[in-house]
Amino acid sequence: MMSEENMTQLFEKLNDLKKVFSYGEKLIPVIHSLGEFMKETVPLLENINQSIAESTAKIPKATNQIQSVTSATEMATTEILDLVDVLNNDLINIEKTMLDVLVKEKDKEDFLKSLIPMLNKENAELFIDDFLSKNSSAEKLGELLLQVGKMKNDSNNIAVSLQVQDITAQQLATVNHLIESVQEKLSALIEDFDNTKILDNHEINLPDNASFDPNARYSKSSVPQQEVDSIFNQKSQKASQAEIDKLFS
Amino acid sequence: MKKVILVADDSPTIRKFVSISLKVKGFEIIQVADGMQALEILPSEPVDLIITDLNMPNVDGFELIKTIRSNEEYRELPIIILSSLSSNEEIEKGIQCGANAYLLKPFDSKRVLYEVSKFLN
């Protein structure tokens, strides 16, 4: 026979159980909506996963395109530099020939001037005014030589500016390196999600041992070089002093 | 006899530009794409001066200079660094390795000629 105390405990437990059921009843709609939410979320997550997978698969194409841009600009720049080289050589030859002509022209002028004392005054003035001043090419040649010098300077400036290709190639290599890291991370994410390996089918083929300066900047300012010169001079002098001390110690 | 300059840079643009700048003054130029090729060519070619980049595949510029300087035969060979690296650490490292000059990219051909003629006059 159950005692009164046991009966009380039994009723208490039953009461607790009732509360649990009553709480469960309240919880059921929440669990139901959670289930509904999950149902709706799964396709969404699958969509996100699919999008990431597709984007990741496209990355190698992007890096290849960047790589081919670098190759194409490199080739074009080298071709332009070849032309600048030819232009420079032509200008040097033109300058040399013009200098020769200028020297001959001066000689001719000096010779003609040496004839002046042999002429009477009237003929001498006529000779100087009409012949010498009208037929002297020295001045024009001088002007043309200045133009050639300017053209040489311009072609040198073109060549200097073409160094921008090297700097942009380094910047593009940096971008490719970043893209490669992003692809690795996304592939790992997809692999964790549904065990699909993206990298197996869509590997990025960047050049082996690619080396680049991620901070490469194109600037024509002379300040950075002055700073380098200053550091170089200071440190080199210190090195020299150390060597002298070593020699006389 | 023409002075021979070895230019080590992985960028064909820079090699070409240096070559154009120095050829005008009668220097003979040998071009290589990295430090490894420079080290391979050095024993077989009489080189009077080296111009080298720092960021290069296989053997970089720092390693190239250190290797050259460790050889008694090339202790006095002038070496000019041509690089876009501009931090104090990199410049100091270049000096410690044994470079004789440090030029920043982009550079002026007159400056390269000036540095080269300082050593090859």
Side-chain angles (χ1 to χ4, degrees):
Chain A
M1 286 281 292
M2 286 176 89
S3 67
E4 194 177 329
E5 193 183 333
N6 285 342
M7 285 297 284
T8 312
Q9 276 180 354
L10 182 69
F11 280 119
E12 276 175 7
K13 296 283 176 197
L14 283 170
N15 215 18
D16 286 346
L17 205 61
K18 191 186 165 191
K19 278 179 188 168
V20 169
F21 281 126
S22 151
Y23 183 69
E25 265 176 25
K26 282 178 192 166
L27 209 64
I28 283 167
V30 178
I31 292 169
H32 183 73
S33 8
L34 199 68
E36 288 297 311
F37 173 73
M38 290 296 279
K39 257 193 225 169
E40 284 168 19
T41 313
V42 167
L44 195 70
L45 283 171
E46 275 171 359
N47 267 346
I48 291 170
N49 184 37
Q50 182 71 20
S51 298
I52 292 174
E54 279 171 15
S55 307
T56 309
K58 280 176 190 166
I59 285 177
K61 197 182 171 193
T63 56
N64 285 340
Q65 275 176 340
I66 289 175
Q67 194 64 30
S68 58
V69 165
T70 303
S71 304
T73 52
E74 198 171 84
M75 200 189 287
T77 310
T78 313
E79 282 171 10
I80 297 169
L81 279 170
D82 280 334
L83 291 173
V84 169
D85 193 20
V86 171
L87 184 71
N88 255 344
N89 289 333
D90 287 349
L91 286 171
I92 288 168
N93 288 334
I94 290 170
E95 195 176 44
K96 223 181 265 177
T97 311
M98 283 173 76
L99 279 169
D100 286 345
V101 173
L102 189 65
V103 168
K104 280 177 187 159
E105 195 66 21
K106 289 268 184 201
D107 287 347
K108 196 170 81 185
E109 202 175 305
D110 289 344
F111 172 72
L112 289 171
K113 275 180 183 168
S114 71
L115 296 177
I116 292 173
M118 293 174 205
L119 303 169
N120 63 37
K121 197 188 169 193
E122 196 182 322
N123 283 344
E125 277 172 6
L126 200 69
F127 179 70
I128 292 167
D129 287 346
D130 276 9
F131 187 80
L132 278 183
S133 44
K134 281 180 188 164
N135 289 288
S136 172
S137 310
E139 203 177 318
K140 279 175 192 162
L141 275 171
E143 283 168 15
L144 285 173
L145 274 167
L146 283 177
Q147 284 292 321
V148 170
K150 193 182 162 293
M151 285 162 82
K152 272 170 66 184
N153 203 35
D154 288 346
S155 78
N156 180 54
N157 286 339
I158 291 171
V160 171
S161 298
L162 286 172
Q163 286 178 79
V164 72
Q165 190 279 324
D166 171 56
I167 306 289
T168 47
Q170 294 195 59
Q171 288 167 341
L172 289 176
T174 309
V175 171
N176 258 354
H177 185 71
L178 289 173
I179 291 175
E180 194 181 25
S181 312
V182 170
Q183 198 211 24
E184 276 170 18
K185 298 269 185 230
L186 289 177
S187 298
L189 196 72
I190 291 164
E191 209 175 322
D192 287 347
F193 196 79
D194 63 0
N195 289 327
T196 313
K197 280 196 172 182
I198 297 289
L199 279 178
D200 284 352
N201 304 324
H202 302 279
E203 272 189 41
I204 295 176
N205 296 313
L206 289 179
D208 290 337
N209 301 323
S211 71
F212 52 86
D213 172 13
N215 301 312
R217 292 282 174 274
Y218 182 75
S219 160
K220 278 189 161 180
S221 162
S222 59
V223 177
Q225 183 60 55
Q226 283 166 10
E227 286 168 3
V228 170
D229 290 344
S230 161
I231 297 168
F232 205 89
N233 290 336
Q234 280 171 21
K235 300 287 171 184
S236 302
Q237 275 165 16
K238 273 183 192 166
S240 308
Q241 191 56 49
E243 279 169 13
I244 293 163
D245 291 342
K246 200 179 166 187
L247 276 172
F248 292 99
S249 63
Chain B
M1 206 171 137
K2 278 186 175 180
K3 298 273 185 188
V4 181
I5 297 171
L6 178 67
V7 181
D9 200 308
D10 55 340
S11 160
T13 304
I14 297 297
R15 292 202 302 269
K16 186 92 202 164
F17 178 55
V18 175
S19 183
I20 290 173
S21 306
L22 298 174
K23 222 173 57 183
V24 177
K25 297 291 171 187
F27 295 109
E28 191 183 318
I29 312 296
I30 301 172
Q31 298 182 30
V32 290
D34 60 50
M36 179 86 85
Q37 287 179 17
L39 290 172
E40 279 167 4
I41 214 160
L42 215 46
S44 58
E45 295 283 344
V47 171
D48 298 294
L49 185 142
I50 293 176
I51 295 177
T52 181
D53 184 18
L54 291 176
N55 272 323
M56 288 188 291
N58 303 321
V59 173
D60 69 18
F62 292 123
E63 203 53 47
L64 171 67
I65 302 170
K66 268 198 276 185
T67 312
I68 290 170
R69 287 292 182 243
S70 66
N71 186 332
E72 192 67 44
E73 197 184 338
Y74 305 123
R75 229 7 91 88
E76 299 301 319
L77 183 67
I79 300 175
I80 298 171
I81 289 174
L82 207 55
S83 174
S84 58
L85 299 175
S86 58
S87 75
N88 288 11
E89 293 75 37
E90 282 142 353
I91 298 161
E92 285 173 24
K93 196 174 169 190
I95 298 166
Q96 281 163 8
C97 288
N100 300 90
Y102 198 115
L103 296 183
L104 275 187
K105 292 177 185 176
F107 54 93
D108 183 19
S109 56
K110 284 172 195 160
R111 180 62 196 258
V112 180
L113 270 171
Y114 168 74
E115 292 297 338
V116 167
S117 52
K118 262 198 328 198
F119 300 109
L120 296 186
N121 254 347

